[in-house]
Amino acid sequence: MRLLVVEDEVRLARALRRGLSAEGFTVEVAGDGLSGLDLARHGDFDAVLLDVMLPRMSGYDVVRTLRAEECWVPVLMLSAKDGEHDRADGLDYGADGYLTKPFSYVVLLAELRALLRRAPQPRPAVLGTGDVRLDPATREVTVAGEPVSLTPRELGVLEYLLRRPDRVVTKIEILDHVWDAAADVSPNAVEVYVGYLRRKLGRELVETVRGAGYRLRA
Ligand code: CA
């Protein structure tokens, strides 16, 4: 398995290279964000360990750029920051995992193995179909680049559909995932919200599959 370590702290980078090589990994090291991005694009790696605070380009920007370019290599972020916000940022930008420094080497290896068990697959940070885009991190929706204002519930229904692009989803599924379990809502509410989405985002967006539910039109 080929690993890319993007880390500017020379001692940590060296320790990671030594330790991971001893575990049988092939390890390449980049010392700044830009060269890390360049290697990650072209290097055919099985996983990337990516520091957040890096010279020339932050780890956040590296992972965001990779995902925008549809490069789905698994990325584990390593950071000295431990605020909840930072972790959420990393994951929203498309990282697969997040370790706070100082981390235990045993935990690092376990995270890495978990990552490698999952084959890389498209995990777009921004969801979309046709000319509709939804950024789950900012909750912003655009149609052909123009912002559209949606209520939280409309956003919930849209996100649920966008995350299941090739499937028919039933009203009950949408109800279970978007409405509070305690809420006493009839499945007709789903119909109403799909109606709002069609009105705001285009009639063509959601197809009704008679007797089954809804499906996004590609
Ligand atoms: Ca750093």
Side-chain angles (χ1 to χ4, degrees):
M1 290 292 197
R2 277 166 56 75
L3 296 182
L4 172 62
V5 174
V6 189
E7 171 61 70
D8 60 319
E9 286 164 52
V10 175
R11 281 179 53 191
L12 179 56
R14 205 177 289 155
L16 284 171
R17 185 204 287 275
R18 198 177 326 119
L20 293 167
S21 302
E23 298 289 329
F25 293 105
T26 305
V27 182
E28 275 202 57
V29 174
D32 68 80
L34 265 189
S35 41
L37 175 64
D38 200 46
L39 275 170
R41 274 173 178 150
H42 306 296
D44 192 24
F45 292 97
D46 296 294
V48 177
L49 303 185
L50 180 61
D51 187 26
V52 171
M53 305 292 280
L54 288 166
R56 297 175 79 204
M57 183 183 240
S58 80
Y60 292 149
D61 288 333
V62 172
V63 72
R64 192 161 39 178
T65 307
L66 287 173
R67 297 318 186 218
E69 293 174 357
E70 304 195 341
C71 171
W72 309 115
V73 61
V75 172
L76 182 61
M77 305 215 67
L78 311 173
S79 176
K81 294 175 158 186
D82 59 356
E84 210 175 293
H85 191 60
D86 301 317
R87 175 186 290 261
D89 284 346
L91 299 177
D92 278 339
Y93 291 151
D96 302 277
Y98 200 102
L99 279 185
T100 304
K101 295 177 193 172
F103 48 81
S104 123
Y105 193 67
V106 175
V107 172
L108 171 68
L109 283 177
E111 289 274 346
L112 209 47
R113 278 193 300 267
L115 221 60
L116 293 169
R117 273 198 296 270
R118 307 197 294 254
Q121 49 180 311
R123 284 153 290 148
V126 175
L127 305 168
T129 183
D131 54 9
V132 175
R133 295 286 173 276
L134 186 162
D135 184 340
T138 60
R139 317 301 293 163
E140 281 165 356
V141 175
T142 58
V143 177
E146 292 296 317
V148 177
S149 163
L150 296 188
T151 66
R153 193 77 74 194
E154 290 164 356
L155 267 171
V157 174
L158 178 63
E159 182 171 359
Y160 190 78
L161 289 167
L162 285 171
R163 289 195 185 278
R164 287 153 192 82
D166 305 316
R167 265 189 51 196
V168 175
V169 295
T170 66
K171 285 182 200 171
I172 298 297
E173 280 177 282
I174 298 177
L175 208 56
D176 284 348
H177 286 88
V178 179
W179 272 263
D180 195 303
D184 185 18
V185 191
S186 108
N188 290 339
V190 175
E191 239 167 83
V192 172
Y193 277 88
V194 168
Y196 293 153
L197 288 178
R198 284 181 176 139
R199 196 154 358 143
K200 290 186 175 180
L201 305 174
R203 297 253 150 243
E204 299 298 298
L205 180 71
V206 187
E207 179 185 0
T208 301
V209 181
R210 200 171 292 277
Y214 300 104
R215 181 168 49 203
L216 279 183
R217 259 191 253 264

